[in-house]
Amino acid sequence: MDATKEEFLKEFGQDYGYPNGPKSIDELRATEFKRLQDLVYLDHAGATLYSDEQMELVFKDLTGNVYGNPHSQSDSSSATLEIVKEARQQVLDYCKASPKDYKCIFTSGATAALKLIGEAFPWSCKSHFMYTMENHNSVLGIREYALNQGAAATAVDIEEDMHPCVSGDTISIRISPHQVQRRKAAGLQDQKPTGDVYNLFAFPSECNFSGLRYSLDLVKIIKEDSRRILGGSSACKNGGQWIVLIDAAKGCATRPPDLSKYPADFVVISFYKMFGYPTGLGALIVQNDAAKLLKKSYFSGGTVAASIADIDFIKRREAIEDLFEDGTVSFLGIASIHHGFKILSSLTLSAISRHTMSLALYTRKKLLALRHGNGSRACMVYGSHKSRELCDEMGPIVSFNLKRPDGSWYGYREVEKLASLSGIQLRTGCFCNPGACAKYLGLSHVDLLSNTEAGHVCWDNHDIINGKPTGAVRVSFGYMSTYEDAKKFIDFVAGSFISPESHFGHTKQLKGFDHCSLSSGFSLQSITIYPIKSCGGFSSGSWPLSNNGLKYDREWILKSLSGEILTQKKVPQMCFISTYVDLSRGILFVESPHCKERLQIKLDSDVDIGGREDVGLYGQRYIVHSYDEDVNAWFSKAIGKPCALLRNSSSDHDLILNESKDAVTCRDAKSKLNFANEAQFLLVSEESVLDLNNRLSPYVQKSPCGEDMQVTPSRFRPNLVVSGGRPYDEDGWRSLRIGNHYFRSLGGCNRCQMINFSQKNGQVHKSNEPLATLASYRRAKGKILFGILLRYEPSDEGEQQCDSRLHVGQHVHPDPV
């Protein structure tokens, strides 16, 4: 055992692992999670993992028993109905809910359970929906039902104050409301409520952004002492009864709410977050009196005792579960949760909670201790982390952002990208929790609205806007997580983002490039054209230029029937489609190993047979021509899925690239493009490729096929390959001339996972290389750069119209920065 693990066990050994369980944590990982051998999985807040034993038991159960529809009366159906009843009781027992007071309604997930509450709650114009800022979007969505029915909605912050007294410290809870929201719709405020007024208060047992665990004392406080705690807020003016909802989708995995002590009215849970399988199944635990308040309009099979088709008559079932479970429940999934509960029970929830908390606390501690060489703090961790005594306030989640030595932020997408290359799976963004995200990141309403106007949406790559993070990095631990998982993650952060230099610097200088000394004597070694985006290209000794770059380069695309533009990232088989343009005959030839006939497409006809349409790509709209069914059938066979071939019909489409003054990552040009990602040309040098091959370390030099890994320039899909200088000389080129043609450098090309795909014997293989090696020395401002992007700049209008050509062997004359 190494010294670092001994140090960890000295501090956390009492909580780590399962010394009294059926297996130790190391045995558990070795026998039940063999698939994690080369992977660090740290997104248990998103979805935890099922064990081998669990799935073996599920498979044995499903193959050894006959489960019928529980709405039928056969023996198999009656047996299934009993299994469903037993599962309901297991769910209630898990939250210590008495079946006399509570019922379990199965849903398609926690979100469906929340939606059910919002739809069926007895809203009126006097009602109030109050919810903590730190809530999932699925809880916030209830607000739409409330506002549409004339109710008010208010977000609140919860603060706990500790006061010393003679008998010991006491904790008081303070609620600070934000502005009241009301929907300004005609007639809503003039409605008079009939009957009693009901209000809904919602909070998570554990915040899925920060890991903060809310005090369940909130249940009794809101239900029994709401007037005092809410003070003079508008939520109390109309009176009414408060109903309390706990979103336990995240918290249930390690600490389910004890409903015998904290009698909430509604609790929603999600099973795949607890034990990985089944997905698409959740539950609403509802207090009997609260269930009677819910008003349901729709009825379905299973929810009615009788109905008549041609008159307005239904008799609904009286049992709460029957009334709210539309259609046939997921009885096979419900039968499977027994085996998940068995796994948790064998380890015990208290041991799981202590184990996961020890890893989270260790990770927080190590992240907070990270310092750059100049002494500046490298990590901002969100949530409470003041002392060991406060650890019970936090669940097994650690959310954070990283800083450079000069105080600027690393983008969370950069962290996620590099983590993936290191075999670490984590989550980034706001985790569908906009309130917590805004709170911890200090984002105002103005910030949030301006970010949206700038194009930022969930799951995009806009991780830094106006110098501020738009989200965070989150790691979360599950019952099978190990010290080794946490240690590898900490080592990854330290090795990838901590600068040992004592001076301030915005970013590391790209290695291999010397600004002060550039070579001369460059020549053009190859010209490659890729007529169909993401398909194979062809090389030519001489090729004409056009306004859009190389003539016919990426002028065609493949589109799925659903409208998605296809690329090798999602359809790797596209790499086996080869292309060639015969200029003299005016024909595009296309071949595929999956098609017997070679396809011939005339360059000056064959279009408009299928009509014209417009498509969107990289924020731009293009007018395209489509082809007949025979052409589309050929490509569908070639890639193994239905698709259509489209051709750009215009050369006047512009793409505005991001502005930057940095020569390495400059995107300040307006380029006329076909379907290229960023620029008209991509240029790499043979010397840079050779240097990369030399840097590929011995333990990654083997390809997935078992051969020595050597990348060629074609791996990067360049249009132009040059030679004659030193590695990465091209980084310092501001512009260049090839023959009599001028090009402007738009900066380095940001590489992605595409370069990790290789092909051998008709198969596509993926590894972490060469991107992982490039990431170790070619990172700048969150990008992994290799090669440069170019824009063609004709010297005059006449040159644009003539058949200007590039020729292999021409001298390349760079103009350095």
Side-chain angles (χ1 to χ4, degrees):
M1 183 184 299
D2 61 33
T4 56
K5 188 168 185 178
E6 288 183 352
E7 179 186 351
F8 167 81
L9 291 176
K10 183 177 181 181
E11 183 173 1
F12 300 102
Q14 290 183 340
D15 298 325
Y16 178 75
Y18 306 102
N20 299 319
K23 295 179 180 179
S24 70
I25 182 60
D26 292 334
E27 291 172 332
L28 189 69
R29 277 293 287 265
T31 59
E32 302 298 329
F33 297 92
K34 296 183 285 290
R35 61 191 186 276
L36 292 179
Q37 182 176 359
D38 299 317
L39 188 71
V40 175
Y41 184 83
L42 297 176
D43 188 23
H44 296 274
T48 197
L49 303 176
Y50 48 79
S51 71
D52 290 358
E53 178 187 1
Q54 179 186 348
M55 297 311 296
E56 288 168 2
L57 291 171
V58 169
F59 182 76
K60 181 179 179 181
D61 188 355
L62 296 183
T63 56
N65 295 287
V66 177
Y67 289 99
N69 189 318
H71 291 166
S72 299
Q73 304 300 313
S74 65
D75 290 344
S76 61
S77 297
S78 297
T80 301
L81 184 60
E82 290 303 312
I83 293 292
V84 173
K85 289 180 179 179
E86 292 173 7
R88 294 191 204 279
Q89 187 59 51
Q90 276 192 300
V91 174
L92 294 178
D93 291 343
Y94 189 73
C95 293
K96 297 183 180 179
S98 168
K100 294 181 181 179
D101 301 318
Y102 288 90
K103 296 295 182 288
C104 170
I105 301 170
F106 285 115
T107 64
S108 64
T111 294
L114 293 165
K115 185 170 182 277
L116 189 158
I117 296 170
E119 288 179 336
F121 194 82
W123 304 109
S124 73
C125 61
K126 298 297 184 181
S127 297
H128 208 111
F129 175 45
M130 185 172 286
Y131 53 92
T132 57
M133 279 289 288
E134 298 184 53
N135 255 310
H136 195 278
N137 266 327
S138 295
V139 175
L140 301 189
I142 295 175
R143 182 178 64 192
E144 291 300 296
Y145 293 107
L147 295 177
N148 284 339
Q149 294 298 318
T154 305
V156 298
D157 289 313
I158 306 293
E159 299 173 7
E160 294 185 5
D161 295 326
M162 184 172 290
H163 305 285
C165 62
V166 176
S167 59
D169 292 344
T170 61
I171 296 177
S172 64
I173 294 178
R174 183 159 47 90
I175 294 180
S176 302
H178 291 244
Q179 66 184 33
V180 177
Q181 308 158 63
R182 281 194 181 275
R183 184 121 320 151
K184 295 180 180 179
L188 286 180
Q189 304 305 317
D190 298 330
Q191 295 176 359
K192 292 184 179 180
T194 57
D196 297 328
V197 174
Y198 296 97
N199 308 303
L200 182 63
F201 186 92
F203 71 98
S205 61
E206 180 183 321
C207 173
N208 76 318
F209 185 100
S210 65
L212 175 71
R213 282 174 170 158
Y214 278 93
S215 171
L216 295 183
D217 289 328
L218 271 172
V219 175
K220 292 183 177 180
I221 290 172
I222 295 299
K223 291 177 70 67
E224 301 173 4
D225 201 14
S226 59
R227 186 165 295 276
R228 180 187 66 83
I229 199 70
L230 296 176
S233 72
S234 61
C236 287
K237 292 180 181 179
N238 295 323
Q241 180 179 341
W242 281 93
I243 307 298
V244 177
L245 159 64
I246 298 177
D247 175 12
K250 170 59 188 78
C252 247
T254 55
R255 186 178 293 182
D258 183 344
L259 295 180
S260 67
K261 294 181 179 179
Y262 309 102
D265 300 284
F266 302 117
V267 176
V268 300
I269 63 177
S270 178
F271 296 109
Y272 74 88
K273 291 183 185 291
M274 294 163 56
F275 33 71
Y277 181 87
T279 58
L281 184 66
L284 169 61
I285 301 174
V286 56
Q287 201 271 345
N288 292 339
D289 290 336
K292 296 175 183 177
L293 300 177
L294 300 179
K295 305 301 179 184
K296 189 167 179 281
S297 297
Y298 177 77
F299 70 89
S300 65
T303 66
V304 293
S307 66
I308 300 177
D310 58 346
I311 65 172
D312 183 10
F313 174 82
I314 59 168
K315 179 176 174 58
R316 298 180 187 270
R317 292 190 179 274
E318 295 182 359
I320 292 171
E321 304 95 322
D322 294 339
L323 182 60
F324 288 99
E325 290 175 348
D326 288 321
T328 301
V329 294
S330 178
F331 56 89
L332 295 181
I334 292 171
S336 300
I337 68 175
H338 164 74
H339 305 293
F341 278 121
K342 182 179 179 180
I343 299 296
L344 300 187
S345 178
S346 68
L347 298 174
T348 74
L349 278 175
S350 60
I352 290 172
S353 183
R354 292 193 305 271
H355 171 76
T356 54
M357 273 304 308
S358 69
L359 293 172
L361 194 59
Y362 168 77
T363 302
R364 288 192 191 100
K365 179 181 177 181
K366 290 297 183 181
L367 287 175
L368 288 168
L370 292 175
R371 296 290 189 277
H372 290 294
N374 61 13
S376 62
R377 187 183 294 273
C379 186
M380 171 68 75
V381 178
Y382 303 115
S384 175
H385 44 73
K386 295 179 181 178
S387 69
R388 178 72 191 271
E389 287 69 31
L390 293 178
C391 68
D392 283 343
E393 296 178 4
M394 305 298 293
I397 284 176
V398 185
S399 290
F400 63 95
N401 274 309
L402 296 170
K403 286 187 172 183
R404 295 185 175 90
D406 66 352
S408 62
W409 298 97
Y410 285 105
Y412 57 76
R413 286 289 291 123
E414 179 180 2
V415 180
E416 184 175 34
K417 185 177 182 179
L418 295 179
S420 181
L421 289 173
S422 298
I424 300 172
Q425 307 298 303
L426 43 76
R427 179 87 176 264
T428 63
C430 279
F431 326 123
C432 298
N433 196 324
C437 189
K439 172 183 175 180
Y440 288 112
L441 301 183
L443 298 174
S444 66
H445 290 164
V446 173
D447 292 329
L448 297 172
L449 292 173
S450 64
N451 289 351
T452 302
E453 291 172 359
H456 173 52
V457 295
C458 296
W459 306 339
D460 68 13
N461 292 323
H462 298 300
D463 50 11
I464 302 289
I465 298 180
N466 296 325
K468 290 184 178 181
T470 60
V473 182
R474 184 185 75 185
V475 296
S476 50
F477 298 92
Y479 73 80
M480 74 296 296
S481 298
T482 64
Y483 160 79
E484 286 73 20
D485 291 335
K487 179 65 164 55
K488 184 174 180 179
F489 169 70
I490 293 296
D491 290 345
F492 154 73
V493 173
S496 301
F497 297 97
I498 303 304
S499 174
E501 289 83 6
S502 59
H503 61 80
F504 285 95
H506 185 72
T507 183
K508 297 178 182 178
Q509 172 65 48
L510 289 176
K511 295 180 181 178
F513 167 52
D514 183 0
H515 274 287
C516 302
S517 176
L518 291 176
S519 301
S520 59
F522 298 94
S523 62
L524 183 61
Q525 293 299 302
S526 70
I527 304 169
T528 305
I529 304 91
Y530 306 90
I532 305 174
K533 182 176 178 64
S534 232
C535 294
F538 66 96
S539 296
S540 176
S542 175
W543 199 258
L545 293 164
S546 72
N547 289 338
N548 293 31
L550 292 171
K551 194 173 183 63
Y552 301 121
D553 185 52
R554 288 163 291 191
E555 193 163 311
W556 288 264
I557 54 173
L558 292 178
K559 186 184 75 168
S560 71
L561 296 186
S562 64
E564 180 184 17
I565 304 303
L566 302 180
T567 66
Q568 282 189 38
K569 288 182 181 179
K570 295 185 177 180
V571 188
Q573 294 82 359
M574 292 177 69
C575 70
F576 297 118
I577 297 177
S578 60
T579 58
Y580 174 71
V581 172
D582 188 325
L583 292 175
S584 63
R585 299 171 62 184
I587 295 176
L588 167 63
F589 293 97
V590 192
E591 293 184 273
S592 166
H594 302 294
C595 300
K596 294 181 179 179
E597 300 295 328
R598 182 171 67 166
L599 186 64
Q600 299 184 30
I601 299 175
K602 293 184 178 180
L603 301 178
D604 58 356
S605 63
D606 285 358
V607 296
D608 279 326
I609 296 175
R612 291 161 59 96
E613 60 181 283
D614 71 302
V615 298
L617 185 66
Y618 307 122
Q620 303 299 304
R621 304 302 300 179
Y622 294 85
I623 302 297
V624 297
H625 293 296
S626 57
Y627 287 82
D628 62 26
E629 288 303 317
D630 290 340
V631 171
N632 295 335
W634 190 96
F635 280 100
S636 298
K637 184 177 181 180
I639 67 172
K641 64 185 300 183
C643 65
L645 181 69
L646 302 174
R647 182 181 184 182
N648 184 13
S649 66
S650 171
S651 60
D652 298 325
H653 297 285
D654 298 341
L655 178 65
I656 306 299
L657 299 174
N658 298 329
E659 292 188 359
S660 170
K661 294 181 179 179
D662 182 57
V664 175
T665 59
C666 181
R667 294 291 186 275
D668 63 351
K670 185 176 183 181
S671 302
K672 295 178 179 179
L673 300 173
N674 280 324
F675 296 117
N677 288 14
E678 293 182 281
Q680 295 173 340
F681 298 87
L682 170 62
L683 178 148
V684 302
S685 75
E686 290 182 341
E687 289 75 18
S688 298
V689 174
L690 178 60
D691 178 77
L692 169 61
N693 281 318
N694 291 334
R695 291 174 184 268
L696 286 170
S697 52
Y699 61 88
V700 299
Q701 285 263 325
K702 293 292 183 181
S703 72
C705 305
E707 302 174 348
D708 288 340
M709 176 180 287
Q710 288 288 297
V711 297
T712 63
S714 62
R715 178 72 73 93
F716 303 95
R717 293 178 64 85
N719 297 110
L720 308 176
V721 178
V722 300
S723 69
R726 291 185 294 272
Y728 315 107
D729 274 349
E730 61 272 17
D731 289 346
W733 296 353
R734 179 174 58 188
S735 60
L736 63 146
R737 176 171 58 87
I738 303 177
N740 294 320
H741 309 298
Y742 293 85
F743 302 84
R744 171 69 59 179
S745 173
L746 304 178
C749 179
N750 185 25
R751 310 313 311 208
C752 67
Q753 296 276 0
M754 273 281 291
I755 65 174
N756 288 339
F757 287 97
S758 61
Q759 23 194 313
K760 180 75 173 181
N761 298 327
Q763 297 292 321
V764 178
H765 303 276
K766 183 183 178 183
S767 68
N768 286 335
E769 295 295 347
L771 193 59
T773 295
L774 285 174
S776 68
Y777 74 105
R778 294 289 300 171
R779 280 170 54 206
K781 293 185 178 179
K783 303 179 188 302
I784 302 173
L785 303 178
F786 192 83
I788 61 172
L789 301 170
L790 301 176
R791 182 186 73 220
Y792 177 43
E793 294 192 327
S795 59
D796 54 49
E797 189 67 24
E799 185 180 338
Q800 292 187 34
Q801 303 302 323
C802 69
D803 187 23
S804 303
R805 285 176 172 263
L806 291 179
H807 303 273
V808 169
Q810 284 181 313
H811 291 296
V812 177
H813 306 277
D815 181 14
V817 176

